[in-house]
Amino acid sequence: MSTRKKQILKVIILGDSGVGKTSLMHRYVNDKYSQQYKATIGADFLTKEVAIDNDTTATMQVWDTAGQERFQSLGVAFYRGADCCVLVYDVTNPKSFENIKSWRDEFLIHANVSSPETFPFVILGNKVDTKDSKKSVTLKAAQELSKSLGNIPLFQTSAKNSINVDSAFEEIARGALEQNKADADAYEDDFNDAINIQLDGEPSSCAC
Amino acid sequence: MPAKEDDNKWSSHYNLLKGILNKNESIYSFFNDDEKLTLRENVIAHALTKDNRNILREIGQSEGGFESLKLRKDCWYELLLNQLDLARNFSNQNFENAKPHPDENQVHLDVLRSFGFVEDHKQKEKLRSLLEKIIVNILRKYPTLRYYQGYHDIVAVFIIVFMVHPYQKSVCEADEEYDIELTRQVSEKFKYSTHRSGISIASSVIDPITNETMLFRSVEIFTLIYLRDFMMDSLTFPILQTKIIPAIVKRYDKQLYMTLKLDKMQPFFAIPSLLTLFSHQFKPTELSNGFIYQVFDLIISSQSMFISIIMYMHLILMSKDSLLQEYALNAGNFENDIDLLHGVMQQQMIKNITNEKFWSIVLIRTQSSIKKPLKLKNARKMVDEYSVLRTTASGSNHRYNIKYVQNVLAKEIKASKKLDSYSKHKTKGCLKSPLLNIAWQSYSKNNILFKVSILIIAVSFIYKTQDLTQIGDSLSLQHNFHSISKEFSSLMTNNINYSLLKKVYNFFTFSSIDFAPELTDVTLDLK
């Protein structure tokens, strides 16, 4: 008769202002794209049911954050309990690419994740639909970065033309699920440890 | 028409309007909606030509506000101009060749995503370039202000009000005349008037004022008087403002406050509404009589930034049932309580966004909250002493001069930086010791606690050294006292009153030792 908590996969999208975080979220959740998205202020979220295997589903909760630096202090409140972090840059904006690492570091500092080395990140290079002449971040540079940060999965996406968005989010869901499971196991271990200590302690308390 | 007859006619109009605003049954039902609107416009137009700001304020704070887009810009301009005297800074609004502001890139990114609701491509481009121009000019004129995402939403509301033709919904060409006689008269007056409250600009020259100039001045004043807190280096001050919301919810509904655990959480959910005065959620023109314009009517005519805070409180109180229901229902759907509260509040906003009736009640309750003022004294203490809530937009009607406001701005920026450096130290872990933490916090808040604790440290130091003097090292210690006291004085020159400093200094230099009376003295002094 346990009231089992619904499985929630919490995903945080980070990246510089204007790289397309909101568009990617809407493309994935609603399969829609609009030129009308406004700048995000604070944090918004959308949810989508994802199939895990044949008969189980989980709810993916995608948290979209504001890109302007001053809003980071709000964002960190929502980092807690994240199962996956998506780092987005704009292939036409080299500055946004350079900042990927600091977004990752910022996340790790504030999210308080159990093991930073294994926490799942995914990098998305968005706006690949733009003309080649406008692209200023090469795929090679991106691959090098993802390798240097510990082989983070990398996708070249377009929220506008729906390129690679679904496959990127499949990877995100996979990573989040694994992390979610690892956290649950760790919790269980802690729980068992606590019980063990109690059991160990009992004879000694009898002894006195 | 002779002036006297005109006045008589007008005063009867005004009395009728008062009857309507007070919902006097017989008057209210006698007129149809069009007639009521005409009556309101007549009274506004007359008040504008006669500089009768009391009546403008009264109408701006009433249900429906300035009602139509036709006269709204003139009302806003008239009221704002009488809240800040820009004096010589007045005419300057061309900063094309001035030094770029570091936030201009962010402005550009946000402007590109604004006016999405305007269908005509050409119009949209025109509005966007105007938006960018205005924001950039404001930032270059006041380079210590920082741009924040959301400021552009507010400026966009001003642009619609000042530049979009109320009927054709197109951007006004330079100085396009309105087709209504009434409006024309009022606009004429503005175009050819000098600054009408005493100080005139280039008094001999008649300066034709374009819509764009009126727009720029209004945004400029609104920014300095109302939005300063949001334009510091960080979000620290706006966050302090949001914290007033749960504090006043608690006063009206403690049960709701406790159930939503508002005591344990930062009210970040309110940030988008507060930073943009609800203009992020409400596109201009979304609701029929522009809910968003009425919010601004209310803010400008009451000269109070408490409006959006009070509105948010009413929003929470009015949504109590559904909030509690959703909160219980979704408890399992979120990772933690912060996410849950934020999620529930956000859904509540989205759910009600098109509910015209709901928002009109929120507005009416906020309007009546101003008439029977909430006890906001404690709320004021929650923000910095230079906050707009305690100075220029505190709800009392006052006209400030630019020098005063610039001075307050400089002090506010300083206070904000100080508070930020405190939190930086805290997150860096330098202030892990709770004692140090308290000390730094008091220091950064310019707190009396800090001054007292320094004193206690000083006194205990003397105790200690007394023992040491007995050991016989008094000379070198004397020397140390001097250097330490110098350090104290340099640390605290800005914060501590001189007599106190002198007393601390006395403690150090004359360690011969009846300090109990001294201490009582100082305590009295502090009081």
Side-chain angles (χ1 to χ4, degrees):
Chain A
M1 290 274 285
S2 67
T3 48
R4 252 183 73 191
K5 232 183 163 184
K6 208 164 151 190
Q7 189 159 25
I8 312 264
L9 303 178
K10 185 174 172 184
V11 174
I12 310 279
I13 310 184
L14 302 178
D16 277 10
S17 193
V19 295
K21 298 181 290 295
T22 306
S23 300
L24 283 162
M25 175 174 82
H26 278 274
R27 170 58 80 190
Y28 171 63
V29 174
N30 304 320
D31 197 20
K32 274 186 192 147
Y33 175 79
S34 153
Q35 298 277 9
Q36 291 198 22
Y37 297 129
K38 305 168 74 170
T40 307
I41 296 171
D44 292 335
F45 77 96
L46 289 175
T47 55
K48 181 167 174 145
E49 297 296 313
V50 287
I52 296 170
D53 47 47
N54 290 336
D55 49 36
T56 38
T57 58
T59 306
M60 190 194 280
Q61 206 172 69
V62 189
W63 288 79
D64 176 26
T65 57
Q68 194 187 11
E69 204 185 330
R70 63 170 56 222
F71 287 97
Q72 265 182 43
S73 54
L74 300 188
V76 297
F78 302 105
Y79 292 178
R80 231 183 56 187
D83 298 306
C84 182
C85 177
V86 184
L87 306 166
V88 188
Y89 68 92
D90 169 356
V91 294
T92 67
N93 176 356
K95 189 96 189 47
S96 71
F97 177 68
E98 283 161 29
N99 284 339
I100 286 287
K101 191 179 175 301
S102 57
W103 280 110
R104 187 198 69 147
D105 295 346
E106 189 71 20
F107 176 82
L108 285 175
I109 290 168
H110 291 109
N112 203 13
V113 298
S114 49
S115 63
E117 313 79 38
T118 59
F119 187 87
F121 287 93
V122 174
I123 299 178
L124 308 184
N126 194 36
K127 305 193 188 177
V128 287
D129 55 277
T130 38
K131 279 186 287 191
D132 280 348
S133 60
K134 278 194 169 177
K135 288 180 194 161
S136 49
V137 183
T138 63
L139 182 59
K140 201 172 156 233
Q143 281 164 338
E144 272 165 20
L145 178 79
S146 86
K147 207 174 155 197
S148 74
L149 297 177
N151 284 321
I152 299 181
L154 167 75
F155 293 85
Q156 301 282 296
T157 59
S158 160
K160 189 176 176 187
N161 293 353
S162 191
I163 301 167
N164 263 340
V165 177
D166 282 343
S167 48
F169 272 89
E170 267 167 36
E171 174 61 31
I172 291 161
R174 204 191 53 73
L177 196 65
E178 220 163 79
Q179 176 66 19
N180 197 284
K181 231 170 140 193
D183 276 348
D185 290 349
Y187 179 76
E188 210 135 280
D189 284 351
D190 281 356
F191 190 67
N192 290 337
D193 281 353
I195 291 168
N196 288 340
I197 290 161
Q198 219 176 3
L199 287 173
D200 289 349
E202 237 160 9
S204 73
S205 68
C206 286
C208 59
Chain B
M1 199 183 312
K4 197 164 177 220
E5 203 178 307
D6 188 33
D7 280 352
N8 284 342
K9 183 183 158 204
W10 175 78
S11 96
S12 70
H13 278 187
Y14 175 60
N15 286 331
L16 285 173
L17 182 69
K18 270 198 112 150
I20 291 169
L21 297 182
N22 295 330
K23 294 268 166 69
N24 180 320
E25 200 49 53
S26 58
I27 302 176
Y28 194 82
S29 49
F30 183 78
F31 294 102
N32 67 32
D33 286 349
D34 281 346
E35 287 163 340
K36 279 181 207 155
L37 182 63
T38 315
L39 199 59
R40 189 182 290 240
E41 283 173 356
N42 281 337
V43 175
I44 292 174
H46 189 88
L48 280 170
T49 44
K50 298 281 175 197
D51 289 343
N52 195 333
R53 285 180 291 279
N54 285 336
I55 287 175
L56 286 184
R57 277 193 285 271
E58 193 182 337
I59 295 172
Q61 291 174 36
S62 70
E63 199 181 330
F66 297 120
E67 194 81 56
S68 69
L69 275 179
K70 265 189 296 176
L71 293 172
R72 181 166 270 124
K73 71 174 165 58
D74 294 329
C75 297
W76 288 10
Y77 186 62
E78 168 78 12
L79 290 172
L80 287 169
L81 225 53
N82 281 285
Q83 291 170 7
L84 177 61
D85 179 1
L86 288 164
R88 265 183 228 139
N89 282 33
F90 210 32
S91 51
N92 204 357
Q93 54 168 302
N94 189 0
F95 291 86
E96 253 166 58
N97 301 317
K99 194 177 159 212
H101 187 283
D103 294 333
E104 284 177 24
N105 186 36
Q106 184 69 57
V107 176
H108 184 69
L109 285 171
D110 295 342
V111 164
L112 287 178
R113 294 176 281 178
S114 57
F115 293 111
F117 56 91
V118 177
E119 277 167 26
D120 184 284
H121 184 72
K122 238 174 112 186
Q123 293 292 346
K124 198 196 313 232
E125 285 310 309
K126 224 163 158 182
L127 289 165
R128 282 179 178 170
S129 73
L130 182 60
L131 178 63
E132 187 160 7
K133 184 174 154 194
I134 299 257
I135 297 177
V136 165
N137 282 346
I138 295 276
L139 292 174
R140 288 184 184 186
K141 188 164 180 179
Y142 301 97
T144 56
L145 292 176
R146 299 298 305 270
Y147 169 79
Y148 68 93
Q149 291 192 298
Y151 180 69
H152 69 300
D153 284 318
I154 290 178
V155 179
V157 173
F158 275 87
I159 289 185
I160 299 278
V161 167
F162 280 82
M163 303 305 280
V164 175
H165 193 285
Y167 303 113
Q168 292 162 7
K169 287 194 174 155
S170 66
V171 185
C172 288
E173 295 294 342
D175 237 354
E176 188 180 332
E177 291 294 341
Y178 289 167
D179 45 2
I180 287 192
E181 177 66 11
L182 191 73
T183 326
R184 198 187 59 75
Q185 283 170 7
V186 174
S187 298
E188 283 293 300
K189 176 168 184 280
F190 277 94
K191 265 178 232 158
Y192 299 110
S193 68
T194 50
H195 188 210
R196 287 159 309 120
S197 301
I199 296 117
S200 57
I201 24 132
S203 52
S204 59
V205 188
I206 292 173
D207 179 20
I209 299 171
T210 62
N211 274 346
E212 199 179 313
T213 307
M214 283 169 74
L215 167 67
F216 184 81
R217 284 177 190 169
S218 301
V219 173
E220 181 178 6
I221 295 172
F222 195 79
T223 303
L224 292 170
I225 294 283
Y226 296 85
L227 302 176
R228 277 191 334 262
D229 291 14
F230 303 157
M231 303 180 85
M232 303 288 120
D233 281 347
S234 74
L235 277 187
T236 309
F237 282 0
I239 290 172
L240 290 181
Q241 281 201 18
T242 59
K243 286 183 179 172
I244 298 175
I245 298 169
I248 50 180
V249 167
K250 185 181 177 188
R251 209 180 301 154
Y252 287 88
D253 196 331
K254 196 157 183 194
Q255 185 222 341
L256 180 64
Y257 174 85
M258 294 312 282
T259 317
L260 297 179
K261 297 181 189 160
L262 290 173
D263 53 333
K264 297 197 178 76
M265 261 160 305
Q266 304 255 42
F268 287 165
F269 51 83
I271 280 279
S273 305
L274 249 54
L275 281 183
T276 66
L277 306 172
F278 291 92
S279 61
H280 187 63
Q281 286 93 344
F282 293 94
K283 296 173 196 133
T285 73
E286 193 145 53
L287 298 176
S288 66
N289 174 30
F291 161 80
I292 191 63
Y293 307 123
Q294 289 190 48
V295 175
F296 280 58
D297 287 349
L298 193 52
I299 293 170
I300 293 170
S301 50
S302 60
Q303 203 171 340
S304 171
M305 271 300 266
F306 278 109
I307 298 299
S308 46
I309 293 171
I310 297 170
M311 269 181 68
Y312 213 103
M313 174 200 77
H314 284 303
L315 165 73
I316 293 177
L317 295 178
M318 272 176 66
S319 322
K320 181 179 180 174
D321 292 344
S322 63
L323 278 178
L324 289 176
Q325 195 187 346
E326 291 298 314
Y327 195 83
L329 253 156
N330 283 297
N333 293 340
F334 288 89
E335 221 287 321
N336 54 52
D337 286 345
I338 299 175
D339 291 7
L340 172 62
L341 182 64
H342 190 90
V344 168
M345 291 303 300
Q346 191 188 321
Q347 279 161 357
Q348 191 65 30
M349 271 305 231
I350 294 168
K351 202 173 97 190
N352 284 320
I353 205 129
T354 50
N355 187 344
E356 219 171 296
K357 204 164 173 202
F358 179 86
W359 288 107
S360 78
I361 297 172
V362 170
L363 254 179
I364 290 168
R365 293 201 176 164
T366 309
Q367 279 151 356
S368 68
S369 292
I370 317 177
K371 283 174 197 135
K372 296 177 284 172
L374 299 163
K375 288 183 196 118
L376 291 168
K377 209 174 162 194
N378 289 331
R380 281 181 229 277
K381 285 187 188 152
M382 296 173 71
V383 294
D384 185 76
E385 62 179 309
Y386 303 110
S387 161
V388 296
L389 294 174
R390 287 173 71 170
T391 54
T392 50
S394 64
S396 69
N397 201 255
H398 190 78
R399 184 157 191 247
Y400 297 90
N401 68 49
I402 184 72
K403 252 196 168 150
Y404 168 81
V405 174
Q406 278 178 321
N407 186 28
V408 169
L409 172 65
K411 284 182 173 159
E412 192 178 1
I413 290 173
K414 207 170 155 194
S416 158
K417 282 192 201 301
K418 207 158 145 188
L419 208 57
D420 286 340
S421 82
Y422 157 66
S423 3
K424 216 174 179 180
H425 279 81
K426 199 174 157 195
T427 45
K428 269 190 186 161
C430 311
L431 294 166
K432 280 216 171 112
S433 142
L435 204 69
L436 260 180
N437 196 341
I438 292 168
W440 181 269
Q441 196 161 14
S442 347
Y443 164 68
S444 54
K445 284 186 179 159
N446 222 346
N447 197 324
I448 200 139
L449 189 67
F450 175 74
K451 297 167 187 174
V452 173
S453 53
I454 286 292
L455 190 68
I456 293 169
I457 292 168
V459 171
S460 59
F461 206 78
I462 288 159
Y463 259 126
K464 200 98 191 155
T465 43
Q466 250 200 299
D467 298 341
L468 293 172
T469 1
Q470 282 164 5
I471 300 166
D473 208 359
S474 64
L475 248 173
S476 69
L477 273 170
Q478 280 284 2
H479 173 74
N480 276 345
F481 281 157
H482 279 287
S483 62
I484 291 168
S485 60
K486 260 185 203 157
E487 261 189 62
F488 271 139
S489 58
S490 68
L491 180 67
M492 298 185 299
T493 23
N494 296 329
N495 305 311
I496 206 156
N497 71 42
Y498 180 68
S499 69
L500 177 62
L501 191 68
K502 210 168 147 191
K503 274 164 188 154
V504 174
Y505 189 80
N506 285 343
F507 274 130
F508 284 124
T509 39
F510 306 108
S511 45
S512 65
I513 284 320
D514 189 10
F515 49 76
E518 285 274 18
L519 187 62
T520 5
D521 230 343
V522 173
T523 334
L524 283 174
D525 212 78
L526 282 173
K527 279 175 189 164

